[in-house]
Amino acid sequence: EVQLVESGGGLVQPGGSLRLSCAASGFTFSNSWMCWVRQAPGKGLEWVASITPDGGEKYYVDSVKGRFTISRDNAKTSLYLQMSSLRAEDTAVYYCADADLVWGQGTLVTVSS
Amino acid sequence: QAGLTQPPSVSKGLRQTATLTCTGNSNNVGNQGATWLQQRQGHPPKLLSYRDNNRPSGISDTFSASTSGNTASLTITGVQPEDEADYYCSAWDTSLSAWVFGGGTKLTVL
């Protein structure tokens, strides 16, 4: 079964850090462009970051540049999002996805004091 | 980053055909077509179609996508109550090097 499972979400204080993980299975992860997309409560979908299959190129939405880092480990078929200097406006459900194949169930990140 | 344009809402009667639109430009929709996602209330997005009517395994052929110029369309033939959901379009923008989304269309089945 083609599947993506996110983990690592939780409650964090403003200015804090969090690392999200996404475990892939059922497809050739090392061939896939992967991305993170978030959805704030009651809002639409917002792309956060993308990474090429070999990890050599990374792209970010302007609002997270310099604060978030996307990475992958093809040997472990896993995608990551390291988030730092978190703000209240980063509060959202974070989804990992292969845009042409499958989305995960999401993990909730809440930034609040 | 600029987004794609979708109508906020569409209403259709049971078993009617709904056509949802998504307008971008030559750098995104006009370049590789659009990806369409369905999101039911309280659920994660579900991929319906990618890059012009490529349907993932398990997606009903009642969903069909197409592109004309810089506008993508998703047609749902014979809408059912379970089709009531938010529908999002998205596309990679080659000029911005960013993935852009529409604001979503809420489909109501009357």
Side-chain angles (χ1 to χ4, degrees), chain A:
Chain A
E1 179 189 6
V2 175
Q3 195 173 13
L4 294 170
V5 179
E6 302 92 337
S7 60
L11 174 63
V12 61
Q13 291 189 338
S17 298
L18 210 56
R19 188 195 196 208
L20 305 183
S21 298
C22 172
S25 59
F27 64 102
T28 308
F29 180 77
S30 59
N31 289 346
S32 292
W33 272 70
M34 297 297 297
C35 65
W36 289 96
V37 175
R38 66 185 178 183
Q39 187 170 35
K43 302 297 184 181
L45 300 171
E46 179 187 35
W47 169 74
V48 174
S50 291
I51 187 168
T52 51
D54 66 356
E57 295 177 47
K58 304 173 184 182
Y59 305 92
Y60 301 92
V61 68
D62 287 345
S63 60
V64 308
K65 284 180 181 176
R67 301 189 299 124
F68 290 12
T69 301
I70 188 172
S71 63
R72 66 191 297 161
D73 185 333
N74 286 343
K76 295 182 178 179
T77 64
S78 292
L79 179 72
Y80 307 100
L81 186 67
Q82 178 68 48
M83 305 184 294
S84 61
S85 302
L86 283 162
R87 307 165 181 168
E89 53 265 35
D90 295 318
T91 294
V93 175
Y94 285 73
Y95 299 101
C96 72
D98 173 330
D100 292 343
L101 184 63
V102 62
W103 284 59
Q105 295 293 307
T107 186
L108 176 62
V109 172
T110 302
V111 183
S112 174
S113 54

